[in-house]
């Protein structure tokens, strides 16, 4: 016995959102797609993938159903790499910290 309580896997919410990701603190962003998100992590399609344990800055937008209303800005770390059935690189990352930031929406959109 490891002494750790068993926790059920967090519910995943399938999404299809554009995102930007980079190694934490670096200047250059890569385009990515959010595949799904949970309370603790995110699955991204990004090429090339980042190695496990890499710390990442991640930004994606949320909507009110009609228009993009805020950015979600995250610090995350890669826990695994895989590929979807078509061979597209995927990475799973645990979210270490996040903020909802409506003030950065215009900046993020203008930098795409």
């Amino acid at each position: 016995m490891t002494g750790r309580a068993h926790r059920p896997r967090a519910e995943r919410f399938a999404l299809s959102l554009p995102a930007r990701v980079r190694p934490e603190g670096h200047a250059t962003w890569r385009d990515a797609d959010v595949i799904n998100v949970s309370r603790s992590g995110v699955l991204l399609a990004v090429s090339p993938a980042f190695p496990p344990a890499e710390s990442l800055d991640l930004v994606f937008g949320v909507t009110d159903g009609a228009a993009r209303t805020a950015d979600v800005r995250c610090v995350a770390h890669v826990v695994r790499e895989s590929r979807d059935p078509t061979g597209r690189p995927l990475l799973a990352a645990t979210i270490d910290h996040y903020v909802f930031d409506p003030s950065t929406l215009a900046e993020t959109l203008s930098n795409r």
Side-chain angles (χ1 to χ4, degrees):
M1 181 168 207
T2 64
R4 298 174 81 178
H6 172 72
R7 284 190 268 169
R9 186 173 178 170
E11 182 178 4
R12 271 40 175 185
F13 299 94
L15 300 172
S16 180
L17 297 173
R20 295 185 326 145
V21 63
R22 65 184 178 190
E24 187 177 10
H26 286 221
T28 304
W29 292 93
R30 290 187 206 169
D31 289 333
D33 293 302
V34 175
I35 305 300
N36 70 45
V37 66
S38 73
R39 65 177 162 76
S40 60
V42 63
L43 181 65
L44 299 170
V46 61
S47 184
F50 296 93
E54 179 89 51
S55 291
L56 304 174
D57 293 325
L58 169 66
V59 179
F60 60 93
V62 294
T63 72
D64 63 4
R68 190 166 165 174
T69 57
D71 279 341
V72 179
R73 299 174 95 45
C74 307
V75 174
H77 67 273
V78 178
V79 293
R80 81 175 168 276
E81 298 175 71
S82 62
R83 293 192 177 268
D84 73 8
T86 68
R88 179 173 60 163
L90 302 175
L91 66 83
T94 298
I95 297 171
D96 300 317
H97 173 76
Y98 71 92
V99 294
F100 288 95
D101 191 352
S103 67
T104 61
L105 180 60
E107 173 190 341
T108 300
L109 292 175
S110 68
N111 288 330
R112 279 206 72 123

